[in-house]
């Protein structure tokens, strides 16, 4: 409990587990705290992406990975706002929000909570509002929408704090490549993107291994869960084919269609290898020598 547990982008170290930020009247620290958004999100790639987006808006992220940690953190620090993923292990965003609202009722306060919903999840938005969330935003998060929601709920104007990236409202994704690296690069910045992709590939390799043994042993729960995670991370990076294949795999595991799941898993593996190769080649070349069109 020595330093503010703010997760800087690019730090691949362990996530803070809801330790207390030191209570201090130091104005600089208070200012930092008021710029620190609590982000509850279980997917490591999404954690990094939302951290980068917040940094582009001059804010910081304190990332926790489940609802229980979010509840603890909310009552330990004075965050101006919470971005809450709906589906997380241990405790989901709906339950966490209900707990926060119940405890707040005794304290007479109300922290704005914005739900982060996967747009495909029908009924999530209604559940968010019913649980006591104030607003919602769709995944993958678009920077303009995030900026608008933060402006609305934090009662502050946000301008982009851009350094080495071009001003793009949202990355445009194309079907042709497994990932549109050019667009992602302009949106997040080269160095930042390299960090996110490293994380995606590293986590992905492990997830593919786990899927392999899970399918071989016909274990429904881990296969569904891991396919779901990989799907979410892929979707956030605009890797559409990968995301769709993972969705298929998730559904097949749900139906216990193991023969079909094995075939789909082969496609997942192939698609992942393509992305891996594509990313490796891209970052080996200097940007100027890349001959891919950016139309
Ligand atoms: Mn989640």
């Amino acid at each position: 409990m020595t330093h503010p547990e703010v997760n800087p982008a690019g730090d691949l170290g362990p996530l803070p587990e809801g330790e207390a930020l030191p209570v201090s009247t130091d104005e600089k620290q208070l200012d930092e705290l008021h710029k620190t958004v609590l982000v509850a999100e279980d997917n490591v790639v999404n954690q990094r992406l939302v951290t980068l987006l917040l940094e582009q808006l001059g804010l910081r992220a304190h990332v926790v990975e489940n609802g229980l940690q979010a509840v603890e953190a909310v009552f330990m620090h004075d965050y101006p706002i919470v971005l809450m993923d709906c589906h997380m292990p241990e405790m989901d965003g709906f339950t966490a929000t209900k707990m926060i609202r119940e405890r707040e009722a005794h304290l007479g306060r109300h922290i704005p909570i914005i739900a982060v919903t996967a747009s495909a999840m029908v009924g999530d938005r209604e559940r968010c509002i019913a649980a006591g969330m104030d607003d919602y935003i769709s995944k993958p998060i678009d920077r303009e929408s995030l900026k608008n929601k933060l402006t609305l709920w934090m009662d502050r104007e946000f301008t982009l704090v851009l350094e080495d990236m071009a001003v793009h409202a949202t990355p445009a994704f194309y079907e042709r490549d497994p990932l549109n690296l050019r667009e992602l690069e302009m949106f997040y910045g080269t160095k930042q993107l390299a960090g996110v992709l490293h994380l995606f590939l590293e986590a992905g390799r492990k997830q593919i291994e786990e899927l392999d043994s899970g399918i071989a042993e016909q274990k429904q729960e881990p296969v569904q869960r891991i396919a779901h995670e990989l799907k979410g991370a892929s979707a956030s990076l605009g890797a559409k084919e990968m995301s769709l294949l993972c969705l298929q795999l998730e559904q097949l595991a749900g139906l216990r269609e193991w023969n079909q799941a094995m075939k789909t898993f082969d496609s997942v593996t192939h698609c992942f290898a393509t992305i891996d190769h594509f990313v490796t080649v891209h970052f080996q070349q200097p940007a100027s020598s890349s001959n891919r069109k950016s139309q």
Side-chain angles (χ1 to χ4, degrees):
M1 230 173 39
T2 47
H3 300 288
E5 288 295 337
V6 172
N7 227 27
D11 172 16
L12 297 176
L15 290 168
E17 303 240 326
E19 297 99 311
L21 289 168
V23 178
S24 168
T25 51
D26 182 87
E27 279 196 17
K28 193 165 167 259
Q29 275 194 0
L30 272 179
D31 187 48
E32 286 301 299
L33 202 49
H34 288 133
K35 285 182 184 166
T36 302
V37 174
L38 179 64
V39 176
E41 165 67 61
D42 60 310
N43 188 303
V44 287
V45 171
N46 289 340
Q47 287 172 353
R48 191 59 48 84
L49 290 175
V50 74
T51 300
L52 289 176
L53 288 177
L54 288 168
E55 285 179 352
Q56 290 180 359
L57 297 169
L59 294 165
R60 287 164 175 248
H62 176 188
V63 179
V64 294
E65 56 193 10
N66 63 54
L68 205 55
Q69 289 175 6
V71 176
E72 281 170 13
V74 159
F75 291 100
M76 261 197 280
H77 325 302
D78 192 17
Y79 300 103
I81 196 159
V82 183
L83 293 179
M84 182 83 81
D85 181 27
C86 292
H87 301 279
M88 292 179 284
E90 311 287 333
M91 182 188 284
D92 65 25
F94 307 111
T95 312
T97 302
K98 275 185 203 151
M99 280 182 73
I100 291 169
R101 294 301 181 227
E102 275 164 24
R103 282 163 76 171
E104 277 184 338
H106 299 287
L107 301 167
R109 47 178 272 200
H110 182 103
I111 186 169
I113 300 178
I114 300 180
V116 181
T117 66
S119 41
M121 302 294 274
V122 179
D124 266 9
R125 293 181 167 184
E126 293 71 18
R127 283 184 73 194
C128 291
I129 302 304
M133 301 194 202
D134 298 287
D135 206 339
Y136 44 73
I137 188 166
S138 298
K139 264 197 251 193
I141 299 179
D142 156 66
R143 186 168 58 205
E144 256 338 272
S145 314
L146 180 64
K147 197 172 133 191
N148 293 340
K149 300 284 183 189
L150 293 174
T151 302
L152 179 66
W153 291 103
M154 288 174 74
D155 205 15
R156 257 173 67 179
E157 281 289 335
F158 289 95
T159 45
L160 291 177
V161 188
L162 294 179
E163 287 160 18
D164 58 340
M165 60 202 83
V167 181
H168 274 228
T170 181
F173 297 127
Y174 302 104
E175 307 284 348
R176 201 175 36 167
D177 292 334
L179 276 180
N180 195 304
L181 292 176
R182 239 340 139 72
E183 284 289 330
L184 285 168
E185 222 169 359
M186 283 196 281
F187 191 72
Y188 290 110
T190 304
K191 213 178 81 201
Q192 292 85 342
L193 178 65
V196 173
L197 289 175
H198 174 74
L199 195 67
F200 172 76
L201 292 172
E202 198 180 61
R205 284 181 206 114
K206 196 164 154 263
Q207 286 161 330
I208 296 236
E209 269 174 37
E210 288 169 343
L211 284 173
D212 194 12
S213 56
I215 292 167
E217 293 164 36
Q218 307 196 344
K219 287 184 175 165
Q220 188 180 30
E221 187 280 328
V223 174
Q224 270 185 300
R225 175 172 44 80
I226 296 160
H228 180 88
E229 274 172 31
L230 193 50
K231 177 189 73 180
S234 305
S236 294
L237 290 170
K240 276 186 191 152
E241 193 191 345
M242 185 69 186
S243 168
L244 283 173
L245 287 168
C246 290
L247 170 66
Q248 252 179 48
L249 185 58
E250 185 186 354
Q251 290 172 339
L252 289 167
L255 297 167
R256 296 184 181 278
E257 296 274 2
W258 296 111
N259 283 334
Q260 196 54 45
M262 245 182 267
K263 287 180 197 152
T264 302
F265 175 66
D266 284 343
S267 306
V268 167
T269 310
H270 180 75
C271 189
F272 184 79
T274 310
I275 293 175
D276 198 344
H277 177 73
F278 190 71
V279 168
T280 307
V281 168
H282 180 88
F283 284 100
Q284 272 168 0
Q285 289 175 347
S288 55
S289 75
S290 169
N291 58 6
R292 289 180 310 104
K293 290 171 197 154
S294 62
Q295 61 186 15

